[in-house]
Amino acid sequence: QLERLARTARARDELAFLIVNDGRRAVGFDQAALMVEGIGGSLGLRAITGVSRHASDSPHVQNLERLLNRCRAALPAEEPGLIGREACVDAAADWDALAPANALWVPLIAPAGKRIGGLWLTREAPWRQSELMQLGFLAHAFAHAWEALVPRSASPRRFFERLLARRHLPRFALALLVV
C-alpha cells in the first residue's frame, strides 16, 4: 500500500512527507529523515518525522545535516545498512545527541543510477534482515516516484508547451526568422 501511495503522490513535498511519516507503519522506526543531495553533493534535510515543515535553521536540523555530511564516506552506497558511531569518529558529539543504538541509512538511487540521497532511520530495537530487504524494495519505489515528480517548471515538455502557447507563438516565429 505504501508503494502505491508513493507512486500516486502529486508533488515531491507530498512524497517526502509520506516517506518519513507513513513509512512508520510498514517498518517501525522512531525517527526518519529524508536527506536529498544538493549542489556539490552535500546532503540537506527535505523532511523529518512528525513535522509538516521544518525550519532549516533549527539546531536539530543543522546538527543532523552536519552529522550525515561528516559521515558521508561511511554511509552504505547501494543497499540499506546499519551505521554506527565508530564509523563517524569526527562527528561523535553530534552522533551522541542524535542517534540511538540502531541507526540505518537507506540510499535512494533513481532507476538511471542517479543518487538522490537517502533515508536516515533510527530506533531503539535492532533491525532485522527482513526489514532491511523490505526497505530496499521501498527505497527503489520511493526513488522511482521521486524522479517521476520533476518540478513542472524544469520539465522540457512544459518549456515547449509554454513556448508554443498562443501568447508566445509570435515571439517564437520571430525568433525562427531571425535565425
Side-chain angles (χ1 to χ4, degrees), residues 82-107:
L82 299 171
I83 181 164
R85 185 180 194 273
E86 65 282 351
C88 300
V89 176
D90 54 332
D94 289 329
W95 185 274
D96 292 339
L98 294 169
N102 297 289
L104 184 68
W105 177 254
V106 182

Side-chain angles (χ1 to χ4, degrees), residues 1 80 105 141 157 177:
Q1 181 182 9
W105 177 254
R157 180 177 177 194
L177 287 175

Side-chain angles (χ1 to χ4, degrees), residues 7 14 16 45 47 78 95 140 179:
R7 293 187 191 276
E14 179 185 342
L45 182 69
E78 303 296 326
W95 185 274
H140 177 73
V179 176

Side-chain angles (χ1 to χ4, degrees), residues 1-41:
Q1 181 182 9
L2 184 59
E3 179 188 1
R4 183 176 47 80
L5 290 172
R7 293 187 191 276
T8 59
R10 295 178 187 249
R12 284 185 172 174
D13 286 341
E14 179 185 342
L15 178 60
F17 184 85
L18 178 125
I19 290 170
V20 299
N21 290 293
D22 292 355
R24 204 179 246 176
R25 285 183 286 180
V27 180
F29 50 77
D30 296 331
Q31 184 179 35
L34 174 61
M35 307 298 291
V36 178
E37 285 194 14
I39 298 171

